[in-house]
Amino acid sequence: MPSINFLSALLLATFLSACSALIEKPAPVASAPAPVAVAPMKIALVLGGGAARGFAHVGVIKVLEAQGIIPDLVVGTSAGSVVGALYAAGRSGFDLQKIAQEMDEGQIGDWSLPDRGVLKGEALQTFINRAVDNRPLEKLAKPFAAVVTDLGNGEMVVFQTGNTGMAVRASSTVPGVFQPVRINGREYVDGGLVSPVPVRVARSLGANFVIAVDISSKPQDHRTQSTLDVLLQTVTIMGQSISRHELKEADVVIRPVTADLPSADFQGRHRAILEGERAATAAMPEIKARLARAR
């Protein structure tokens, strides 16, 4: 009898084992892939140099604001640093237009006996500081960087802290026109000598979408009727070859038509603003399309 019970138990165990083998085991659940971190959009507006043609930047800013495109970062060289500092301080495009229309050359033209330049530049520094309520660069409404050139070694320097007016003055110091600016024992001149449209600076500061504004004009057939025209033309010629490569790194380049605009005369400011508006309006479909793909 015990042998029969043992045999029955063995048969039952074998049967149950076979049944369990027939039951399909659930497939292992694949783990979900780890989410990929996406860097937040950081838009930079990069404003290039171009003397009095810099008023075109105002028109560009007006159009960008009207379309709801507000940069997180502003970078400027020379004339671009003038407009850029005021914009970064919280001035709207229409505020900038009003300032441009009311600006008088006498406000920034402090002539002196020639001393490596015929303009001291202190008047421009004072004008900018008053316009930004004497706030230093790091206290402006949005991050701003002014690009300058170290006269001693030719290296590019980027100012993000300190006296706003002095940084803009240094960035706008066209050699031979303005006297070099001394800051902490170093002398600085126009940032356009090393980076006319500082796209790479914007990238280095974390921008992942760059809108660049190039207000330079092609050197060919440009009239040079005065010493100042010659100096500005020289800077333009140098800047053309430098910016040709750097501009390729921008997501969008806005190019106001500035060839016929005077580089040393404020009388063309109204037309310069209009040209900035036209160029920005024409570029808007591309800007929106590229922003949509980037987001």
Side-chain angles (χ1 to χ4, degrees), residues 148-158 186-189 194:
V148 305
T149 302
D150 187 313
L151 183 60
N153 58 25
E155 296 292 331
M156 180 178 68
V157 177
V158 180
R186 305 292 299 180
E187 288 189 321
Y188 299 99
V189 292
V194 289

Side-chain angles (χ1 to χ4, degrees), residues 116 120 125 159 166 169-170 173 179-189:
R116 296 186 299 165
K120 292 184 290 186
Q125 177 177 327
F159 285 128
M166 185 172 285
R169 172 188 172 190
T173 296
Q179 297 168 4
V181 180
R182 180 172 289 274
I183 304 174
N184 296 328
R186 305 292 299 180
E187 288 189 321
Y188 299 99
V189 292

Side-chain angles (χ1 to χ4, degrees), residues 4-169:
I4 295 176
N5 289 339
F6 174 77
L7 181 60
S8 299
L10 180 62
L11 290 173
L12 179 61
T14 302
F15 175 75
L16 293 175
S17 176
C19 289
S20 65
L22 295 175
I23 299 174
E24 184 178 354
K25 294 182 180 181
V29 179
S31 58
V36 178
V38 179
M41 179 66 69
K42 187 173 184 179
I43 302 173
L45 178 62
V46 176
L47 306 178
R53 298 187 186 100
F55 290 111
H57 291 315
V58 175
V60 171
I61 291 171
K62 285 178 62 182
V63 172
L64 292 177
E65 284 187 333
Q67 295 296 321
I69 299 174
I70 309 298
D72 304 290
L73 166 70
V74 182
V75 182
T77 287
S78 197
S81 75
V82 175
V83 177
L86 300 181
Y87 182 47
R91 303 280 189 166
S92 69
F94 284 100
D95 291 336
L96 294 175
Q97 182 171 2
K98 183 178 179 182
I99 292 172
Q101 291 172 340
E102 295 176 350
M103 182 183 292
D104 184 271
E105 291 182 67
Q107 293 177 285
I108 61 173
D110 48 359
W111 297 88
S112 68
L113 292 175
D115 179 14
R116 296 186 299 165
V118 295
L119 293 173
K120 292 184 290 186
E122 294 174 358
L124 174 61
Q125 177 177 327
T126 299
F127 174 83
I128 293 296
N129 279 333
R130 285 177 179 169
V132 302
D133 300 320
N134 293 306
R135 283 174 289 172
L137 292 166
E138 65 272 21
K139 296 294 184 180
L140 298 181
K142 64 179 61 183
F144 171 69
V147 176
V148 305
T149 302
D150 187 313
L151 183 60
N153 58 25
E155 296 292 331
M156 180 178 68
V157 177
V158 180
F159 285 128
Q160 293 179 269
T161 61
N163 188 303
T164 300
M166 185 172 285
V168 170
R169 172 188 172 190

